[in-house]
Structures are given as C-alpha cells and as structure tokens.
Amino acid sequence: MSDIADRVKKIVVEHLGVEEDKVVESASFIDDLGADSLDTVELVMAFEEEFGIEIPDDAAETIQTVGDAVTFIKGAV
Amino acid sequence: MFDLTGKTALVTGASGGIGGAIASALHAAGATVALSGTREGPLRDLAATLGERAHVVPANLSDAEAAAGLVKDAAAAMGSVDILVNNAGITRDNLFMRMSDEEWAQVLEVNLTSVFRLSRAALRGMMKARWGRIVTITSVVGATGNPGQGNYAAAKAGLVGMSKSLAYEVASRGITVNCVAPGFIATAMTDKLSDDQKGKILGQIPAGRMGAPDEIAAAVLYLASPEAGYVTGATLHVNGGMAMV
C-alpha cells in the first residue's frame, strides 16, 4: 500500500520539480505544489501509465491532492 | 538545411498532390513518415518510391473512431508521432442557399473535427517527449472567403482559431502548433479547370503563376524543423501574393 504512495510521490516530485518533503498527503497540486491545469492533466497521464489504469475525466477532476490520488489509485489497481 | 533525422511524422491526405509532396520533403530531411489517406494504392506507391522509413497507415477520417486509431497505428509503426501534419481535406462546394446540411456537416467533420481529434490523440506523446510539431494545412479561402465554399472556408478559418488556442496551451511543453495556408496550387484538382478559368485565377495572383506542391511542402518542412521552435500560433501564407494577410 505504501508502495503506491511512494510511487505517486516520486511522480509528483519528478513532474512538478518540488521538494520531496512538500509532497504530503494533504498537499494540493495547484494550491500547494504550484501545478497549473496542464500539469494536472500530465500528472493524471503519468499515473495512468505508472499503474496501468484508466482515470476518467470526471474522476480526474476530483483528484486535487496527493492523498486523493493515492486513494483513487488504491481503489483502481 | 533542416534536419529531421530521428523524428517521426504522420501525414494525412498523403495520397494527394500536396500531401505526397509534404511527406516526400519530410522524408528527404531524414524523418520516418507514416502516410495516411483513404486510397491505399497511391499510398503504397509513394511508400515504395520513398523506400525505407516509410509506412502506410490508411484511415477514413470521416469516421470518429478512426482518428485516435490512426495516431495509435502510426505510433505503433514508427515508435512515436513527433510531427503531425493535418493535410487531409475534402470539398463539397455549393452555393450557400443550396448547400445541404449533409454537405456542410461532411466538410466540417473531415476538415475541422478530425483535426481536433488527431491533434488531441497525438498530443499525449508530444507532451511526454517535451517536443512536438503540429502543422495544419488550411487555405487562403479561410482568410478571404470564396463563393461556393461556405463550408470549406468555415472549416479552414476554424482551424486557425483552434490552432492558436492549442498553441497557447502547449507552448511551454516544447510543442508548436501552426498552419500553412496555400493559395492556388497546381494539382490533379486544378488540372481539371478550363484555360478560361485558369486565366481568371492567374489574373488575381501577383506572382502570375500557380504554386507547386513542393512550395507548400517547404513551408511545412520549416515549421516542422527544430529551427522553427519559436514560431507558434502562426499561419504561413503561401499564395504568390494573392492575399497579403
């Protein structure tokens, strides 16, 4: 389980170029980690690829924080 | 001058005069090309002429599913799609008052909507690669209008607005989105015109002649090249001075 969280964090750090200690569960991609709307699309694409899942648009919209992503992916894999 | 070695390019409408010239120019610059169109025969002939680094990926772009499938097929054949050239287009000319819903819809579907779908499908790989080129062939009539071509001119003008909007969105990812707007180009289509019709057309062209498909291909080659990385959201008019816009 924590493996998923670690992989999510790694992707976020790589894509957004932020410090690892800022990527906490409650961190909002846009408000806390400086992502723009296109970054969030890219993150979703990266999650889909990393975990071999499909994240539909309406689900993608609900993924606002690192924790949201981890929760969604845990339910999808 | 422009080196596309190692790049991959998908060209739609490659069975036509302009599309064939574009594919040949990109290929000559070192790119691997995927040739798409509805007529497989001419595509195979062109691929055979080009030799290595040429793939045939037929598609009928009036089919909504076909666009995403085409990008997938091209990426499977070449490993990626770094350059997308949206060249495929159809005409269903008619005077505005006589134009049917079907004539309108067919032209908008193939000339505008399929370009949206193809570009959307191709962007995924380009975003990851942090490099991409989308070059869409529009027309002088998108800027000037043309009697009998309300549907065609609407689609071509629509492509310009679409390309500019997309150019904004993806510029920071190393992806450029541009248009090339040909004027009158000598192809099988214009060969059918009478001398009288040709004379009238030539009278409106300061250069005094029709353009050649190679002259459109050269503009596409430039926009597809690494050297054009700072050009985005632009329309390059190649029309012998017929419309200076």
Side-chain angles (χ1 to χ4, degrees), chain B:
Chain B
M1 170 166 191
F2 301 118
D3 185 7
L4 297 181
T5 304
K7 299 292 185 198
T8 55
L10 168 60
V11 181
T12 67
S15 49
I18 293 176
I22 291 169
S24 302
L26 299 180
H27 185 268
T32 298
V33 294
L35 312 170
S36 187
T38 49
R39 294 174 295 141
E40 211 173 322
L43 295 176
R44 295 224 167 275
D45 292 346
L46 178 58
T49 309
L50 295 178
E52 283 177 23
R53 293 183 283 111
H55 304 268
V56 173
V57 281
N60 179 1
L61 293 176
S62 57
D63 171 4
E65 301 290 316
L70 173 55
V71 171
K72 227 174 246 175
D73 290 348
M78 303 189 292
S80 64
V81 176
D82 304 319
I83 300 161
L84 170 64
V85 182
N86 294 302
N87 166 71
I90 59 168
T91 55
R92 295 285 183 271
D93 297 356
N94 209 341
L95 287 175
F96 206 94
M97 290 180 70
R98 292 189 182 280
M99 187 170 289
S100 68
D101 284 3
E102 200 188 353
E103 286 165 338
W104 173 268
Q106 280 182 344
V107 167
L108 270 287
E109 180 71 19
V110 174
N111 295 10
L112 180 59
T113 307
S114 84
V115 174
F116 157 67
R117 293 195 185 109
L118 282 169
S119 303
R120 183 179 56 184
L123 277 167
R124 212 182 163 103
M126 293 178 185
M127 294 271 286
K128 276 179 63 182
R130 289 289 189 271
W131 199 93
R133 296 282 185 267
I134 297 178
V135 183
T136 298
I137 308 304
T138 62
S139 167
V140 63
V141 309
T144 62
N146 198 26
Q149 292 200 305
N151 50 2
Y152 187 78
K156 293 301 189 181
L159 289 169
V160 174
M162 190 195 78
S163 298
K164 288 178 179 177
S165 303
L166 177 55
Y168 266 107
E169 291 187 19
V170 297
S172 65
R173 303 311 199 260
I175 303 167
T176 69
V177 188
N178 292 289
C179 298
V180 171
F184 277 97
I185 306 301
T187 61
M189 203 164 75
T190 53
D191 285 347
K192 289 179 203 153
L193 298 172
S194 69
D195 284 348
D196 189 39
Q197 283 173 313
K198 277 186 192 166
K200 278 186 186 153
I201 290 166
L202 292 180
Q204 298 166 16
I205 304 173
R209 64 174 179 85
M210 287 197 187
D214 287 349
E215 291 172 308
I216 303 304
V220 174
L221 173 58
Y222 166 61
L223 291 172
S225 73
E227 284 83 353
Y230 204 53
V231 180
T232 195
T235 295
L236 187 43
H237 289 270
V238 184
N239 62 27
M242 182 184 172
M244 303 188 191
V245 287

Side-chain angles (χ1 to χ4, degrees), chain A residues 7-77:
Chain A
R7 283 157 76 191
V8 165
K9 279 183 189 171
K10 186 161 177 277
I11 288 172
V12 174
V13 167
E14 274 173 12
H15 272 262
L16 300 180
V18 289
E19 298 292 327
E20 207 174 328
D21 56 5
K22 286 194 176 160
V23 187
V24 293
E25 295 247 322
S26 62
S28 156
F29 295 119
I30 291 174
D31 296 333
D32 301 320
L33 302 177
D36 64 19
S37 54
L38 193 57
D39 288 321
T40 63
V41 173
E42 283 191 284
L43 279 173
V44 166
M45 277 166 40
F47 294 148
E48 287 181 330
E49 199 147 304
E50 171 74 18
F51 297 100
I53 54 173
E54 286 258 339
I55 305 178
D57 286 347
D58 52 346
E61 278 171 31
T62 68
I63 300 176
Q64 306 279 339
T65 66
V66 176
D68 291 343
V70 173
T71 306
F72 180 87
I73 293 162
K74 278 180 181 169
V77 290

